[in-house]
Amino acid sequence: MSCYYYRITNYNNVQTGYYRWTGCTDIISVNPVEPLQTSYVCAKDLYVEDYAAPLDVVNMGLCPSTTPTPTVTPTPTQTSVTPTPTQTSVTPTQTPTPTQTPLVIYQYNLWTGGYYQNVCESTHVGTPSNVTIYTTKPFELLVPGDNAFGNSLLTIPPVNANFTISNGNRFIQMSGTLILNTGLC
């Protein structure tokens, strides 16, 4: 089996993505790609892990060869070289200090179930909440395409969550961390 050169890009600006790959020597590894970063790897195969940020994978073709290319060595001839002294000065440059914008993370203790009718009704009959989600925007403002997570690091799907999650007024329907649908109870 041939080894291919892959470019793996994480366009998500919050969540780390992970990919599993089989190296050219048959060693299987899992590597992270931090938000807004790109990695390159030579591998026999490569799969994006579905529990984290989606990754963009491009097969760039066969891996670059490490086999040396034959070269022709010319016959050396002796010449006289007189070095010319030069004076150089180094001008220091200011490197800007990167700034990091703080991220607001919302935590909600909500209800989860298979259908929105069951979830919306369970909020009104005194059933205790059964799922915690973390988002980067208020629950009322979530729309399809947004994400909800199971931890404050925003790296895993909600734990023990079913397809539908509600606060009693609104519901979201999810797959992994991706919100597929929203609606009113």
Side-chain angles (χ1 to χ4, degrees):
M1 183 174 205
S2 296
C3 274
Y4 295 97
Y5 193 54
Y6 292 95
R7 180 182 69 209
I8 307 102
T9 304
N10 182 354
Y11 290 110
N12 189 303
N13 64 354
V14 176
Q15 187 179 13
T16 301
Y18 292 88
Y19 62 94
R20 178 173 37 93
W21 56 287
T22 304
C24 300
T25 58
D26 295 321
I27 294 174
I28 298 173
S29 301
V30 175
N31 286 49
V33 180
E34 296 301 321
L36 304 176
Q37 297 298 312
T38 298
S39 295
Y40 295 88
V41 67
C42 278
K44 289 183 177 180
D45 58 43
L46 186 141
Y47 302 97
V48 174
E49 296 291 324
D50 60 2
Y51 55 81
L55 300 174
D56 180 56
V57 177
V58 177
N59 183 332
M60 308 283 286
L62 292 174
C63 288
S65 172
T66 57
T67 308
T69 306
T71 58
V72 176
T73 306
T75 306
T77 58
Q78 188 162 353
T79 59
S80 168
V81 176
T82 305
T84 305
T86 59
Q87 187 172 11
T88 60
S89 65
V90 177
T91 304
T93 59
Q94 292 286 357
T95 305
T97 304
T99 60
Q100 187 172 10
T101 305
L103 180 65
V104 176
I105 300 191
Y106 297 88
Q107 175 185 351
Y108 297 97
N109 294 317
L110 303 173
W111 292 264
T112 185
Y115 300 100
Y116 76 90
Q117 296 95 339
N118 296 346
V119 175
C120 290
E121 290 170 9
S122 68
T123 64
H124 300 294
V125 295
T127 306
S129 62
N130 58 0
V131 68
T132 300
I133 66 168
Y134 299 83
T135 64
T136 57
K137 48 195 320 195
F139 188 79
E140 294 76 21
L141 300 179
L142 294 172
V143 296
D146 286 340
N147 291 287
F149 301 91
N151 65 358
S152 62
L153 297 175
L154 308 178
T155 58
I156 63 171
V159 177
N160 297 324
N162 290 314
F163 179 66
T164 306
I165 297 174
S166 176
N167 67 355
N169 295 321
R170 296 189 78 233
F171 68 88
I172 59 174
Q173 294 175 319
M174 302 182 59
S175 176
T177 64
L178 181 64
I179 297 173
L180 302 174
N181 189 26
T182 63
L184 297 174
C185 288

